[in-house]
Amino acid sequence: MRAVAHKDLPALRELVAEDAVFVDPHYPTPRVVGWTEIREGLRWAFGAIEAFGFETVLGFETSDGRHAVVEVDCRYVLRGGRRLAFRQVFVADVQDGRIARREAYEPHGPGGLVGWVLRLTRLGRRLRRFFGRLPGR
């Protein structure tokens, strides 16, 4: 969370496995696989969110250190100054000292303007994929 709060892609690269899976309903692509896709999702987030704030509420780790669950109060400032505050839970699996899977759970889907922007972004991506598959392209 510190690396995200500091928008530190090199530090995140060291923490995340090459073939990791990240799932987060707040991103334009809710499920991404591999560092390249994860990096693009992080770049999108770093561009959309001016400041990240995380306060750990609860955290649990398995005795072997391979699995963790963290409940977090998130306080973000979007570009333009809008503030968001919500709670979410992160579940992570670690292999060989790096994050192999990270999934975020929220008590709600993103609503309001953020929800509409994400829905439109997802629709645009589906349309680009669809039109990219048409014969002659």
Side-chain angles (χ1 to χ4, degrees):
M1 288 184 279
R2 272 191 301 273
V4 170
H6 290 99
K7 300 182 180 184
D8 188 345
L9 275 175
L12 287 160
R13 179 64 193 105
E14 293 300 315
L15 293 170
V16 176
E18 184 65 36
D19 58 350
V21 176
F22 275 28
V23 179
D24 194 323
H26 285 131
Y27 281 67
T29 304
R31 183 179 190 278
V32 293
V33 179
W35 172 248
T36 300
E37 289 184 15
I38 292 167
R39 181 187 63 222
E40 291 311 306
L42 289 166
R43 284 183 177 156
W44 172 84
F46 294 168
I49 299 171
E50 188 174 307
F52 292 88
F54 302 103
E55 183 179 332
T56 300
V57 177
L58 293 170
F60 302 94
E61 182 179 332
T62 59
S63 60
D64 63 5
R66 295 188 60 216
H67 311 280
V69 177
V70 181
E71 184 178 14
V72 179
D73 279 335
C74 299
R75 290 181 180 80
Y76 298 169
V77 178
L78 301 178
R79 295 277 177 221
R82 181 166 183 231
R83 296 182 179 277
L84 297 177
F86 57 96
R87 183 166 286 182
Q88 65 183 330
V89 172
F90 295 105
V91 177
D93 298 327
V94 175
Q95 289 181 322
D96 300 322
R98 298 174 97 183
I99 299 168
R101 182 183 73 90
R102 197 267 313 164
E103 189 155 351
Y105 295 90
E106 290 82 17
H108 57 80
L113 180 60
V114 173
W116 278 104
V117 169
L118 284 173
R119 285 188 282 280
L120 290 172
T121 300
R122 291 172 182 164
L123 175 62
R125 288 179 178 205
R126 283 194 302 271
L127 289 172
R128 280 194 298 278
R129 282 194 302 269
F130 172 77
F131 286 112
R133 292 182 192 147
L134 292 177
R137 286 199 148 249

